[in-house]
Amino acid sequence: MLAAEALRDVGPARVEGDLSGEIQRRLREAFETPLRKGGDLPAQVQRRAAAAEALGRIESGGFGAQPAFWRLPHGEPVWVPVPAGEFWMGGGSGVHRLHLDTFWISRVPITNAQYRFFVEATGQAPPRHWENGRPPKGKESHPVVNVSWRDALAYCEWLSGATGKQITLPSEAEWEKAARGDRDRREYPWGDEWDATRCNNYELGLGDTTPVGIFPEGASPYGVLDLAGNVWEWTRSHFRKYPYDPGDGRENLEAGDDVHRVLRGGSFDDGARLVRAACRSWNYPFYRFGDDGFRVVVVSPVSL
């Protein structure tokens, strides 16, 4: 990791041999080492996170995020298709079947690096914990936090204009289908059994966000990452009772600031119960917290 920092500082043209390739090989080996339940799990995760950060700085030319998750020039996410069909939504007595059309969802939450493109292009006020309009050093590939629902929606509107795609926040139902798949009523994106090595939540003990995508073991049936823990994610839905009915006005984006908007997924600060795929939370659309972020969807794709 120190070698990666040095290589970034001096530039690849000033070193001999395939030093960059060797550094990347070793970093990938560290990143891909399976987490061991019996070991010091926080230390293992921190090592993996540091390797991911270093890889991101090398592979993205210093933008600080893994190219597997977004593209230049606007930081547009890599999209994962979720096919049309029914799935099980909700839990307990509220579980029900629901049909959704095809949509495309970002593989990971929007990162600080991606949100910076938006801030610099529009003059939007940056999150309050940034310094001089830039994300905290070393957290470029962490999910952006301290953003309100309205901030997230403004990002979607900007990215839609920049890319020509119809990009918005996922509905609560779209988020849950991306997390659970369409075959069963699983508790977590990976299955029914709790496993602390598959996500960043309270049981992990880090007490902070981690780089996006560093828990491939926690992928959903569609290959979507970070749907359990790390940050709560804003959806476009109002918090209303089940059964879910997309035609009852709960997807109205024009409602006022007194309407509760749904957040999903739990965060680094929440226990296993709150990172379940069916767990719901809510907040006012103008609130900003250090464990709230978002991801986005495409509902009308153009040249994905």
Side-chain angles (χ1 to χ4, degrees), residues 7-199:
L7 182 64
R8 185 186 65 168
D9 290 342
V10 304
R14 298 179 62 187
V15 298
E16 297 180 357
D18 187 23
L19 181 60
S20 177
E22 177 63 15
I23 292 172
Q24 290 181 65
R25 185 189 67 77
R26 295 191 186 191
L27 288 170
R28 287 197 187 96
E29 183 179 312
F31 177 79
E32 293 169 2
T33 299
L35 300 176
R36 303 184 311 278
K37 292 183 181 180
D40 185 343
L41 194 54
Q44 294 176 61
V45 171
Q46 288 173 336
R47 178 175 174 80
R48 180 184 282 189
E53 289 280 1
L55 275 170
R57 285 192 288 273
I58 293 174
E59 296 175 351
S60 65
F63 279 94
Q66 297 180 64
F69 301 138
W70 56 263
R71 309 180 184 95
L72 293 172
H74 307 296
E76 180 183 352
V78 169
W79 304 107
V80 177
V82 179
E86 290 190 342
F87 75 107
W88 291 104
M89 183 172 185
S93 61
V95 69
H96 56 288
R97 294 286 282 175
L98 184 69
H99 180 278
L100 293 178
D101 293 333
T102 299
F103 62 95
W104 290 256
I105 192 165
S106 57
R107 188 176 296 276
V108 295
I110 298 301
T111 65
N112 283 312
Q114 289 168 283
Y115 199 76
R116 182 180 171 186
F117 287 113
F118 163 62
V119 168
E120 292 182 347
T122 64
Q124 174 89 2
R128 60 175 177 262
H129 65 292
W130 288 20
E131 294 183 5
N132 300 318
R134 296 187 176 185
K137 186 177 181 180
K139 288 194 173 184
E140 292 86 355
S141 63
H142 287 230
V144 66
V145 295
N146 285 318
V147 287
S148 69
W149 181 86
R150 296 210 171 277
D151 294 334
L153 199 62
Y155 174 88
C156 293
E157 292 170 354
W158 167 77
L159 192 60
S160 295
T163 63
K165 300 178 176 70
Q166 188 179 343
I167 296 170
T168 187
L169 295 174
S171 69
E172 181 181 10
E174 289 168 341
W175 190 99
E176 187 168 333
K177 184 175 183 181
R180 300 182 98 167
D182 57 6
R183 296 184 179 180
D184 52 41
R185 309 183 193 188
R186 63 184 56 204
E187 288 289 309
Y188 303 99
W190 57 84
D192 286 323
E193 299 299 320
W194 169 249
D195 186 341
T197 68
R198 295 178 184 262
C199 70

Side-chain angles (χ1 to χ4, degrees), residues 172-253:
E172 181 181 10
E174 289 168 341
W175 190 99
E176 187 168 333
K177 184 175 183 181
R180 300 182 98 167
D182 57 6
R183 296 184 179 180
D184 52 41
R185 309 183 193 188
R186 63 184 56 204
E187 288 289 309
Y188 303 99
W190 57 84
D192 286 323
E193 299 299 320
W194 169 249
D195 186 341
T197 68
R198 295 178 184 262
C199 70
N200 175 17
N201 83 316
Y202 179 80
E203 276 86 347
L204 188 61
L206 291 180
D208 198 0
T209 57
T210 46
V212 298
I214 71 165
F215 292 94
E217 305 91 341
S220 80
Y222 301 114
V224 187
L225 302 173
D226 283 20
L227 287 161
N230 216 357
V231 293
W232 286 100
E233 299 179 15
W234 288 108
T235 74
R236 66 178 186 267
S237 303
H238 302 184
F239 189 86
R240 293 190 181 181
K241 293 181 179 179
Y242 285 165
Y244 188 93
D245 179 1
D248 66 1
R250 70 178 68 206
E251 307 300 345
N252 178 16
L253 298 178

